[in-house]
Amino acid sequence: MERFEEVVAEVRKRVEPDDDERERLQQVARSLAERAENAIADLPVEADVIQVGSTARGTWTSGDRDIDLFVRFPPELDRETLESYGLKIGHKVLPEGHEEFAEHPYVKGEFEGFDVDLVPCYHVESATEIQSAVDRTPFHTQYLEARLDDELADEVLLFKQFLKGIGAYGSDLRTEGFSGYLAELLVLEYGGFRALLEAVADWHPPVRFDPEDHGTETFSDPLVVIDPTDPERNVAAVLSPENFARLQHYARDLLSEPRESIFVPDVPEPLTPNEVSEFVADRGTTPVAIRFDAPDVVEDQLYPQLQKSLSGVADALSRRGFEMLRADLFADETAVLFFELSVPERPAIERHDGPPVHVRAHATGFYEKYEADDSYGPFIDGDRYAVERKREFTTAVEFLESDSIFDAALGVHVEKTMRRGYEVLSGDGIEELAKEFGSELARYFAPKP
Amino acid sequence: MERFEEVVAEVRKRVEPDDDERERLQQVARSLAERAENAIADLPVEADVIQVGSTARGTWTSGDRDIDLFVRFPPELDRETLESYGLKIGHKVLPEGHEEFAEHPYVKGEFEGFDVDLVPCYHVESATEIQSAVDRTPFHTQYLEARLDDELADEVLLFKQFLKGIGAYGSDLRTEGFSGYLAELLVLEYGGFRALLEAVADWHPPVRFDPEDHGTETFSDPLVVIDPTDPERNVAAVLSPENFARLQHYARDLLSEPRESIFVPDVPEPLTPNEVSEFVADRGTTPVAIRFDAPDVVEDQLYPQLQKSLSGVADALSRRGFEMLRADLFADETAVLFFELSVPERPAIERHDGPPVHVRAHATGFYEKYEADDSYGPFIDGDRYAVERKREFTTAVEFLESDSIFDAALGVHVEKTMRRGYEVLSGDGIEELAKEFGSELARYFAPKP
């Protein structure tokens, strides 16, 4: 057997659930559906229960313990009633469950060893009539169920495991990768895992698919897959350019050097504080960080908030002359915005260009302002006035510790948290981060595609 | 009398030669012309002698001791003969003189306390038929002599003295300012010094004059004055944007706060080595310099050469991450390229962006190259590969001392001189420069328009 096929065969063994596992899951799913139907019977409403997601479509990988059940209510039902019924049913089905919030509040809980989401939605005629995003999910399941036979479902498993291995699986806003639905549509498009990889290796963005040939919109994303159940939607809308490139990189990598390790997520050994210092010394850079309590919001809010704040502070630092090699964010109990600066200090002065001298009123105003203060100049450079004026902050730490940091574009929850207090770390203080974020720092200092 | 007029009257007293001085100069000029005519008589050629320049036109300021005499030969004469006759006459007229080289070789020497240039040229019919640039000069003198009466000539004196005061007088390639001819044309255009300044204060570049309304070319210079004797020439071609702006600045300054000091060149007190160090400490910058013997070429070659080398090394430094606040050049016995850097040191690594991952062959080549070396990465950023590779030079001094400096765009004479040896100054070594260039450093550290 060819090396690629050997590797894939090994992976297949690991990810394909065996008959026992499949049977066990179906049993639990059935019993959950019954409990839900019983709960519906107590309510003055017609509704049905539908299992959705990869466990419904046989595209789950061995060990997955997620069961998603949707309760579909008539579209005439007002939203408030739908939510209240949904929670009632949820709590009956999952007595130990707790409420979470996506498009609607819903109940999440454990049941016989499985992680169960019980989500209310509207039972609409077609995906174009949906009243909320979750209403679309049952249509996805129907579309794929009709098209994925067992063999294709197995190919999907391989691709999903591959995406997990390279860290690009998940359409959450932390990962910005490939959703299960997107992965399945791509396998369907190319008819198998290997054919997909071979095509991906040569993709030139923008890459566009429209399986039902009904798309009505244009998108600027690198990958566009028009939702077969909704002509206005790009299923790959959250995919980042990095994950597009990552898929290409590892597709080529697996094809040229087939090996199982690519299918296994890489969890680097956490760095020790000492190792962090060694990396910093080797790189000759000046890392600084701000740390605060992670804002208490769901991950899909947290990461965009932190990302926005990271860019905002990075911009504010750059504008003040503190260029950086790279920046990153880490979040767990605390959240950290980490900036690896090129230099520890800036000069006491900075250049400031004025207007062209020939723009008389403006130029005279500039000249008079800076002639009167302790700047060097004004002098003339090219056709303009210029001065060298005192710099407000000569170190990044001074800026980060000052109130000016709140002029940076921060996520609203991040700003709120930071106003309650934050820490600025630099020098030896950076080592400390290894205690909470050793793995993240290992990934940062040994970056891979 | 109005303050402006008072100031001007005082300056006038200082710059207008009195009758004795005028008579004395005319006497010497006549006697020089006679000597030249006698020398011509010994040669088998017809030629005449003409006095040119400001002393010919009565637009010289008191104390000027320059007399320019041109010997005009028939245009049929071959160039070699013209040069040989020119030098023969020159040496007869100025027995103590020495040869210099502009368009032709010519003799320069002292005569009864005056600095005399004796220059050979062709006597052509009109300025458009000139065989070399110097042939044009007599036409300029004729044009202005016919148009500048005594009153206007006095206004020219004021403007010239003003240009000297602000450091913008001279069309040599060090100054890149206003030639005497250009100054006279501008006064002629506006009819007087004050009217000229008032117009200048509101100039919006590009500013164009064509006194004879015969211009045939377009120019991209901020100031265009079509030569009345040559429709294809911009008299202001060498004027730098800085000197254009400088004229505007000081025109406004003099009009709003009339004072004599503007008419006096500013020669700052030389800095001591200690004062240099104090400035550097106050600015928190990192100056570095290279010093070598000034190449033995005329100033009009030297300064463009040094300027080119300054830009070349500045670019080379910037490309390697050594940004600077400002750079300057000083020349006397030695020549100095001076760079005031923002930071003393760069990190051990630098970021290097690769191709987009989707450009397969190129991207794979990049990945394989950097995967194999000791760079950090390759990793993916946006749609591209990137690495952090070892930086070749972490300090500017290392670069300046290395052979890589010769990869910078250097003037050819500068490169030749530097290949024989040069010094790199930094830290306390910078102080030393004050011994030779104290005034230049004073100007550098207290920059003015």
Side-chain angles (χ1 to χ4, degrees):
Chain A
M1 199 169 15
E2 204 202 335
R3 179 77 190 127
F4 183 90
E5 297 306 329
E6 275 172 32
V7 165
V8 158
E10 282 306 312
V11 174
R12 229 184 264 282
K13 276 188 210 156
R14 211 155 42 74
V15 298
E16 279 176 18
D18 62 18
D19 290 348
D20 282 1
E21 193 176 353
R22 285 188 208 270
E23 180 49 35
R24 169 88 184 115
L25 184 130
Q26 287 316 324
Q27 227 170 41
V28 173
R30 269 196 306 274
S31 130
L32 279 163
E34 266 168 44
R35 290 170 67 93
E37 278 152 12
N38 291 339
I40 293 166
D42 293 344
L43 294 170
V45 71
E46 293 283 308
D48 70 354
V49 180
I50 171 174
Q51 192 190 346
V52 299
S54 58
T55 43
R57 306 197 283 265
T59 57
W60 47 291
T61 52
S62 174
D64 274 2
R65 316 204 60 79
D66 292 316
I67 298 178
D68 297 323
L69 287 183
F70 275 39
V71 180
R72 292 191 294 188
F73 292 95
E76 303 78 40
L77 203 64
D78 68 273
R79 188 162 176 136
E80 209 178 329
T81 312
L82 173 136
E83 293 180 357
S84 122
Y85 287 175
L87 291 174
K88 268 191 190 142
I89 297 165
H91 286 300
K92 270 208 182 144
V93 174
L94 303 163
E96 314 283 304
H98 63 277
E99 294 178 19
E100 294 224 345
F101 198 92
E103 186 92 16
H104 305 294
Y106 67 97
V107 175
K108 190 182 187 78
E110 244 195 66
F111 185 81
E112 298 189 5
F114 288 84
D115 295 320
V116 182
D117 284 0
L118 205 141
V119 180
C121 73
Y122 286 110
H123 194 168
V124 291
E125 282 301 308
S126 87
T128 52
E129 288 163 44
I130 60 167
Q131 296 182 40
S132 80
V134 289
D135 301 346
R136 196 185 282 120
T137 309
F139 292 96
H140 292 168
T141 293
Q142 282 162 14
Y143 182 84
L144 291 169
E145 267 180 345
R147 285 162 183 82
L148 290 176
D149 56 20
D150 283 357
E151 203 181 318
L152 272 179
D154 282 355
E155 296 292 298
V156 167
L157 289 195
L158 286 174
F159 185 45
K160 282 191 182 177
Q161 187 59 38
F162 177 76
L163 290 171
K164 285 179 185 169
I166 69 174
Y169 186 65
S171 59
D172 58 278
L173 297 183
R174 176 182 189 175
T175 311
E176 298 184 327
F178 295 79
S179 65
Y181 181 50
L182 176 56
E184 294 176 38
L185 289 175
L186 288 173
V187 170
L188 205 54
E189 183 70 33
Y190 287 102
F193 175 57
R194 188 171 186 167
L196 168 58
L197 288 197
E198 279 166 355
V200 159
D202 281 319
W203 271 358
H204 271 82
V207 176
R208 186 182 165 101
F209 300 104
D210 187 355
E212 293 302 306
D213 201 17
H214 66 174
T216 53
E217 305 288 312
T218 56
F219 298 92
S220 60
D221 306 303
L223 176 63
V224 176
V225 180
I226 302 298
D227 192 336
T229 75
D230 182 348
E232 295 180 8
R233 181 171 175 264
N234 175 16
V235 181
V238 297
L239 180 68
S240 66
E242 279 83 358
N243 277 323
F244 181 100
R246 186 164 285 127
L247 175 63
Q248 287 205 289
H249 172 82
Y250 285 106
R252 293 173 194 158
D253 193 9
L254 186 69
L255 290 168
S256 76
E257 271 187 70
R259 59 200 190 278
E260 275 181 76
S261 61
I262 298 185
F263 291 86
V264 183
D266 176 48
V267 184
E269 193 70 19
L271 293 188
T272 64
N274 211 26
E275 285 166 335
V276 170
S277 296
E278 281 168 19
F279 271 115
V280 172
D282 182 61
R283 295 163 66 87
T285 52
T286 305
V288 295
I290 49 186
R291 179 164 65 177
F292 44 89
D293 293 334
D296 187 21
V297 293
V298 296
E299 285 214 341
D300 264 3
Q301 284 194 285
L302 178 64
Y303 281 91
Q305 285 263 318
L306 291 176
Q307 196 57 56
K308 181 186 175 181
S309 309
L310 186 75
S311 307
V313 177
D315 282 355
L317 284 167
S318 299
R319 260 185 284 119
R320 284 164 180 84
F322 303 104
E323 334 129 55
M324 58 205 71
L325 217 58
R326 257 195 289 150
D328 206 349
L329 62 87
F330 314 134
D332 188 15
E333 292 292 305
T334 70
V336 169
L337 307 181
F338 182 87
F339 309 93
E340 192 182 14
L341 306 177
S342 301
V343 293
E345 213 173 340
R346 300 293 302 164
I349 52 173
E350 65 183 347
R351 184 185 170 105
H352 176 52
D353 286 323
V357 174
H358 64 81
V359 183
R360 184 166 184 172
H362 190 189
T364 304
F366 179 90
Y367 184 82
E368 284 168 359
K369 172 176 176 191
Y370 286 103
E371 195 199 11
D373 77 5
D374 61 352
S375 297
Y376 289 90
F379 53 93
I380 292 173
D381 191 7
D383 64 349
R384 290 175 181 271
Y385 286 126
V387 292
E388 290 153 354
R389 64 183 177 189
K390 297 283 167 200
R391 195 183 274 279
E392 196 178 357
F393 302 105
T394 62
T395 69
V397 169
E398 283 168 32
F399 166 69
L400 296 176
E401 284 178 343
S402 81
D403 257 9
S404 299
I405 197 175
F406 292 107
D407 301 339
L410 301 171
V412 56
H413 290 102
V414 170
E415 175 168 354
K416 215 193 291 176
T417 311
M418 282 180 60
R419 287 213 184 263
R420 283 198 295 269
Y422 64 94
E423 236 182 314
V424 176
L425 305 176
S426 65
D428 292 346
I430 292 294
E431 290 185 6
E432 250 189 75
L433 290 175
K435 291 173 194 160
E436 191 176 357
F437 299 108
S439 292
E440 286 83 349
L441 286 164
R443 202 168 270 131
Y444 180 90
F445 283 118
K448 290 184 183 171
Chain B
M1 208 173 2
E2 206 201 331
R3 180 76 191 129
F4 184 88
E5 297 305 330
E6 277 172 29
V7 165
V8 159
E10 283 304 315
V11 174
R12 229 184 264 280
K13 277 187 212 159
R14 212 156 40 78
V15 298
E16 279 176 18
D18 63 18
D19 290 347
D20 284 1
E21 193 176 355
R22 283 189 209 270
E23 181 48 34
R24 169 88 185 117
L25 184 130
Q26 287 315 323
Q27 231 170 33
V28 173
R30 268 196 305 274
S31 130
L32 280 163
E34 266 166 43
R35 292 170 67 91
E37 276 152 12
N38 290 337
I40 293 166
D42 294 344
L43 294 169
V45 70
E46 292 282 309
D48 70 353
V49 181
I50 173 176
Q51 191 190 346
V52 299
S54 61
T55 45
R57 306 196 286 264
T59 56
W60 48 291
T61 53
S62 176
D64 273 2
R65 315 204 60 81
D66 293 317
I67 298 180
D68 297 325
L69 286 183
F70 275 39
V71 180
R72 291 191 294 188
F73 293 95
E76 303 79 40
L77 203 66
D78 66 274
R79 190 159 174 140
E80 211 178 324
T81 314
L82 173 135
E83 292 182 357
S84 123
Y85 288 172
L87 292 174
K88 270 191 191 142
I89 299 165
H91 286 302
K92 272 209 182 142
V93 173
L94 303 163
E96 316 283 305
H98 64 276
E99 294 178 17
E100 296 223 343
F101 198 93
E103 186 91 17
H104 306 295
Y106 67 98
V107 175
K108 192 184 186 76
E110 242 196 67
F111 185 82
E112 300 191 3
F114 287 85
D115 296 321
V116 182
D117 284 2
L118 205 140
V119 179
C121 72
Y122 285 110
H123 193 167
V124 292
E125 283 299 309
S126 86
T128 51
E129 288 162 43
I130 58 168
Q131 297 181 39
S132 80
V134 290
D135 303 345
R136 196 186 281 120
T137 310
F139 292 96
H140 292 168
T141 293
Q142 282 161 12
Y143 183 84
L144 291 169
E145 266 178 346
R147 285 165 183 79
L148 289 175
D149 57 18
D150 285 357
E151 205 183 316
L152 273 179
D154 282 355
E155 297 291 300
V156 167
L157 291 194
L158 288 173
F159 185 45
K160 283 191 181 175
Q161 188 58 40
F162 177 76
L163 290 171
K164 286 177 185 171
I166 70 173
Y169 186 64
S171 59
D172 58 276
L173 297 184
R174 176 183 190 175
T175 311
E176 298 184 326
F178 295 80
S179 65
Y181 182 51
L182 176 56
E184 294 177 38
L185 289 175
L186 288 173
V187 171
L188 205 55
E189 183 72 31
Y190 286 104
F193 175 58
R194 186 169 186 169
L196 169 57
L197 290 198
E198 278 165 355
V200 160
D202 280 320
W203 271 358
H204 272 80
V207 176
R208 184 182 167 101
F209 301 105
D210 187 356
E212 293 303 304
D213 202 17
H214 66 173
T216 53
E217 305 288 309
T218 55
F219 298 92
S220 60
D221 306 302
L223 176 62
V224 176
V225 180
I226 301 298
D227 192 337
T229 75
D230 183 348
E232 294 180 6
R233 179 170 176 265
N234 175 17
V235 181
V238 296
L239 181 69
S240 66
E242 279 83 357
N243 278 323
F244 181 102
R246 186 165 286 126
L247 176 64
Q248 287 204 291
H249 172 81
Y250 285 107
R252 292 173 195 158
D253 194 8
L254 185 69
L255 290 168
S256 77
E257 270 187 71
R259 58 200 191 279
E260 277 180 73
S261 60
I262 297 185
F263 291 85
V264 183
D266 177 47
V267 183
E269 193 69 19
L271 293 188
T272 63
N274 211 27
E275 285 167 336
V276 170
S277 296
E278 280 167 21
F279 270 116
V280 172
D282 183 59
R283 294 162 67 85
T285 52
T286 305
V288 295
I290 49 186
R291 181 164 64 178
F292 44 88
D293 293 335
D296 187 20
V297 292
V298 297
E299 285 214 339
D300 265 5
Q301 285 194 285
L302 177 64
Y303 281 91
Q305 285 263 320
L306 292 176
Q307 195 59 56
K308 181 185 175 180
S309 309
L310 186 75
S311 305
V313 178
D315 281 355
L317 284 167
S318 299
R319 261 184 283 119
R320 284 165 180 82
F322 303 104
E323 335 128 55
M324 58 206 69
L325 216 58
R326 254 194 291 150
D328 207 348
L329 61 88
F330 314 134
D332 190 13
E333 293 292 305
T334 70
V336 169
L337 306 181
F338 181 86
F339 308 93
E340 192 181 12
L341 306 176
S342 300
V343 294
E345 214 174 342
R346 302 291 303 165
I349 52 171
E350 64 182 348
R351 184 186 169 105
H352 176 52
D353 286 321
V357 173
H358 63 82
V359 184
R360 186 166 182 173
H362 191 190
T364 304
F366 180 91
Y367 184 81
E368 284 168 359
K369 172 176 176 191
Y370 285 103
E371 194 200 11
D373 77 4
D374 61 352
S375 296
Y376 288 90
F379 53 93
I380 292 173
D381 191 9
D383 65 348
R384 290 175 180 271
Y385 285 126
V387 293
E388 289 153 353
R389 64 184 178 189
K390 296 285 167 199
R391 193 184 277 278
E392 194 178 358
F393 302 105
T394 62
T395 70
V397 169
E398 283 169 32
F399 166 69
L400 296 175
E401 285 178 344
S402 81
D403 257 10
S404 298
I405 197 175
F406 292 107
D407 301 339
L410 299 172
V412 56
H413 290 103
V414 170
E415 176 168 355
K416 215 193 292 175
T417 311
M418 282 179 60
R419 289 217 182 259
R420 285 198 296 269
Y422 64 93
E423 237 182 313
V424 176
L425 306 175
S426 66
D428 292 345
I430 291 294
E431 289 185 7
E432 252 190 73
L433 291 174
K435 291 172 194 159
E436 191 177 359
F437 299 108
S439 293
E440 286 83 349
L441 286 164
R443 204 168 270 129
Y444 181 90
F445 284 119
K448 289 185 183 169

